[in-house]
Amino acid sequence: MKFTKTLMATTALTMVAGVAGAADMADEMTIVSWGGAYTASQMNAYHKPYMEKTGVNIISDDSSAEAVAKLRAMNEANNITWDVVDVVASDAMRLCDEGLALEIDPDTMLADAPDGTKASEDFGDLLVSECFIPQIVYSTTFGYRTDMVGDKAPTTVCDIFDLATYPGKRSLQKRPIDNMEWALYCDGVAKDDIYDVLGTDAGVDRALAKLDTIKDQVVWWTAGAETPQLLADGEVVMGSTFNGRLFSAIAEQNQPIGMLWDMQSFDLDGWIIPAGLSPERQARALDYVYFATDTQRLADQAKYISYGPARKSSAPLVGKHADLGIDMAPHMPTDPANAANVHLYDYSWWADNRDDLDAKFQAWLAK
Amino acid sequence: MSDIKTNGPVLAADGTPLKRSLARALRVEKTRALMLIAPLLIFVLISFIIPIVSMLFRSVDNRIVEDTMPYTVAALKTWDASSGALPDEPVYAALARDMKAAAEKKEHTRIGGRLNYEESGFSSLFRKTGRAAKKFDLDSGEPFKAKLIDIHKDWGKIETWKIMQTHSVDYTNGYFLNAVDMKRTPDGAQMQDDDKRVLLKLFGRTMWMSLVITGMCILLGYPVAWILANLPARQANLLMILVLLPFWTSLLVRTSAWKVMLQQQGVINDVLVWLGFIADDSRLIIINNATGTIIAMTHILLPFMILPMYSVMQTIQPSYLRAAKSLGATNWTAFWRVYFPQSIPGIGAGSILVFILAIGYYITPEIVGGNKGVFISNRIAYHISTSLNWGLAAALGSILLAAVLILYWAYDKIVGIDNVKLG
């Protein structure tokens, strides 16, 4: 009996100590991102200035690829250890749907542009979910080996499907998103009708039939680093990946790779704040995103990586690469020369149809 | 000697019956032993068994539907889906009430996601309806049927309601049906559409390829283990290090190394082209398919085969072989009739280890498997981390677990688990 009491007392004490410890945690925060060059760019553009300004200690965690599943598990265990999480827009929508992310009011919680434009207007259409604070615009697009395409460099996305002119393997992401749209587009569907066609069973069959024409020449990738590596090894002639990965292969590693911007698929990446943080931690997280998503900070990130800032007001401030000294603007997916023909990925359509199409896509892959 | 009682119970020194005294001593022993293993037992229970059971429980748990929409579920019980008519106003009123409550708690999209696994479109149906439902005035008495159909036309479709009714049970077999390419429909369990059937194929492939990998490991591992067991200690130790070095190297490093070796511009193809065995334009495709997975996994799992074989072979007396030969056996007969039967327990232990590890393998098939060399575990990972369909992932995991247990049982019946030796 006495033993039980002592045990309970110590447990209670430990718990109190734990809570008291958590209350002081507001000057330490865990920020989750994708790792590699991307986290490095955030470290330089956001974390370091913020730590200098406030003295807060920022801990980096490279778990964004698993963020949705982990946040759900943390929520169920009632122990959320992350303060700010970097996710793609579709994941942000999912987290918002599940009630796992904090809803954000851009005009009160985010900084205005220097000229006084409200944040909601500065971000504009990019605020695709109530919980999502956009940070960059990136694109999934194609790179090709300049020395393996002869003297005819590919100019349209449909060259991916042209095995006669460009023999050899190509790498595509192992998921239906983007690939299905490109397939329909190259099968003659008008850009505006893609999702209407894809919404029917016949449309799905049509897209898969188009992909069938190159199926045995495709290497499927799951990690963004794979295509640049496959291109560097000469394993594939062309392949899709995130534009920043191709930029670093071309500009930083001098690989013989060219960019094919046609029908690049725009996507967004940004912050969410997990729902259910303690008030101190939530206040800290909000303070951080207010700082990190202002006009100057977003423009600063583009010094380190070729992703376009999500604010309209940041675009004119994009300067030169921090180490290479080259002008970054022409390497942005949003640059007018690159964005002549872009594919806008429909988030809400995919939120509805992803499960269904993924099952069909996987069944097709296994055939 | 006549004062010794011969018919009463035997007594211990303190006068209690010896039987009881012995039982007490044994009980104390057992309690002490239990106390000693208690920390481990509790640790295993808390960190292993409870999480596994609670994860497996998700494969049947469907309470989210009734918890979020209690009034709709109750009202739908009286609706006859085969009547061909839409539900009446009370069902719509119940839906409006549930939606308003769920939207205020931000739970409406979660259940939309749950039902979207069954039928595309529920996600946006619930998101859109929930947004409008926050402004519902429940006491106004106005007809919600027209209003809801106006918000989203799917509420005016019988199919929508049929799916709601079919999936409103607390405990469902739906996830297990999905896991074997079937689905729960208003008309009972049915096969999944042709173009969505993939999981049974993956189960079959996982089993078949694991068997092939186990077989390859036996073929490659047996001679190595034999040499290890029969060389003088010095050379054997050196060889042992060669077996253990890859064993200690990170799985990811070894898998990536295979990528460099096997790809079309990789080391093996380059050497073959250089030697003139194959033409430059017909390089072998030995990665991103089943071959790649089998090669890489055989290499990675080989130590798990060699080590148990080696430890069993070490205990086989060389004198048995000499005796067989001195009695006139050829080398082959001596090996096959005398040595091999004694080494079977090692093969058994190695095979079980390799096979069970292989069917749950994830990272190697993911990296080198392409689309023809991935396992069921890759789908489980997808449903855990990307689609968030944890119910289906749990059902797939339960089936995999059951398959392993059945195989283990079959193995016990055929070979006998007592014949397995790890050393």
Side-chain angles (χ1 to χ4, degrees), chain B residues 275-400:
Chain B
L275 291 172
F277 287 135
I278 52 173
D280 197 18
D281 53 357
S282 60
R283 287 171 176 250
L284 303 177
I285 301 172
I286 39 181
I287 198 169
N288 296 324
N289 53 22
T291 319
T293 305
I294 290 174
I295 294 177
M297 279 182 63
T298 301
H299 168 244
I300 287 167
L301 293 174
L302 202 51
F304 292 97
M305 185 65 86
I306 294 177
L307 293 174
M309 279 184 175
Y310 165 70
S311 64
V312 169
M313 286 180 184
Q314 253 194 332
T315 62
I316 302 175
Q317 298 291 337
S319 52
Y320 293 161
L321 273 182
R322 286 203 295 272
K325 281 185 200 163
S326 74
L327 292 171
T330 60
N331 279 343
W332 171 251
T333 317
F335 166 74
W336 187 245
R337 301 279 299 276
V338 177
Y339 193 87
F340 184 74
Q342 296 186 75
S343 65
I344 282 181
I347 300 180
S351 302
I352 286 196
L353 264 181
V354 169
F355 186 80
I356 290 177
L357 283 173
I359 71 178
Y361 242 54
Y362 157 71
I363 196 72
T364 306
E366 181 76 28
I367 294 177
V368 300
N371 46 352
K372 291 263 168 31
V374 292
F375 283 9
I376 193 70
S377 45
N378 299 87
R379 283 322 278 164
I380 298 179
Y382 169 82
H383 285 301
I384 289 278
S385 62
T386 309
S387 82
L388 291 192
N389 192 348
W390 288 5
L392 178 55
L396 291 169
S398 310
I399 293 176
L400 203 56

Side-chain angles (χ1 to χ4, degrees), chain A residues 152-182:
Chain A
K152 273 185 295 180
T155 49
T156 85
V157 71
C158 297
D159 290 339
I160 302 303
F161 296 92
D162 185 354
L163 287 173
T165 320
Y166 305 101
K169 300 224 173 218
R170 33 278 266 142
S171 58
L172 293 174
Q173 190 169 9
K174 201 183 205 167
R175 61 173 200 173
I177 299 171
D178 294 340
N179 296 328
M180 302 290 265
E181 290 102 314
W182 284 325

Side-chain angles (χ1 to χ4, degrees), chain A residues 264-331:
Chain A
Q264 54 165 321
S265 170
F266 270 169
D267 203 342
L268 304 170
D269 189 86
W271 303 113
I272 61 104
I273 297 173
L277 292 180
S278 68
E280 300 88 357
R281 286 173 62 195
Q282 184 172 315
R284 172 57 71 199
L286 282 167
D287 186 59
Y288 171 83
V289 293
Y290 184 92
F291 172 83
T293 61
D294 72 11
T295 301
Q296 185 58 47
R297 243 49 61 183
L298 287 186
D300 283 350
Q301 195 190 358
K303 277 185 211 162
Y304 304 97
I305 201 152
S306 65
Y307 294 127
R311 278 179 187 262
K312 294 185 194 97
S313 60
S314 299
L317 304 178
V318 171
K320 291 184 188 308
H321 190 283
D323 302 321
L324 302 173
I326 49 174
D327 225 354
M328 288 302 277
H331 298 282

Side-chain angles (χ1 to χ4, degrees), chain A residues 200-257:
Chain A
T200 63
D201 284 345
V204 174
D205 290 344
R206 188 173 168 189
L208 291 177
K210 183 72 180 173
L211 286 168
D212 252 335
T213 60
I214 54 166
K215 189 179 176 188
D216 53 357
Q217 293 297 319
V218 175
V219 177
W220 300 98
W221 60 268
T222 45
E226 288 179 58
T227 290
Q229 187 62 49
L230 290 165
L231 284 167
D233 291 349
E235 277 290 297
V236 296
V237 182
M238 45 180 87
S240 68
T241 189
F242 312 127
N243 70 291
R245 300 273 186 180
L246 289 168
F247 169 79
S248 70
I250 297 167
E252 291 164 12
Q253 294 156 28
N254 292 314
Q255 296 287 344
I257 298 173

Side-chain angles (χ1 to χ4, degrees), chain A residues 68 72 76 94 97-98 103 169 174 222 233 235 352 354-356 358 360 362-363 365 367, chain B residues 58 106 109-110 116 120 123-124 127 196 263-265 366 370 372 379 382 386-388 390:
Chain A
V68 187
R72 196 203 239 187
E76 286 187 8
R94 227 164 234 261
D97 277 0
E98 293 247 334
E103 284 188 19
K169 300 224 173 218
K174 201 183 205 167
T222 45
D233 291 349
E235 277 290 297
D352 270 348
R354 188 172 176 167
D355 298 320
D356 186 48
D358 191 78
K360 289 177 178 165
Q362 291 295 335
L365 270 184
K367 242 186 245 166
Chain B
R58 285 170 195 271
K106 290 182 197 152
T109 42
R110 198 178 282 202
N116 203 63
S120 292
S123 208
S124 63
R127 199 179 301 129
K196 286 168 79 173
Q263 60 185 5
Q264 282 194 282
Q265 309 294 325
E366 181 76 28
K372 291 263 168 31
R379 283 322 278 164
Y382 169 82
T386 309
S387 82
L388 291 192
W390 288 5

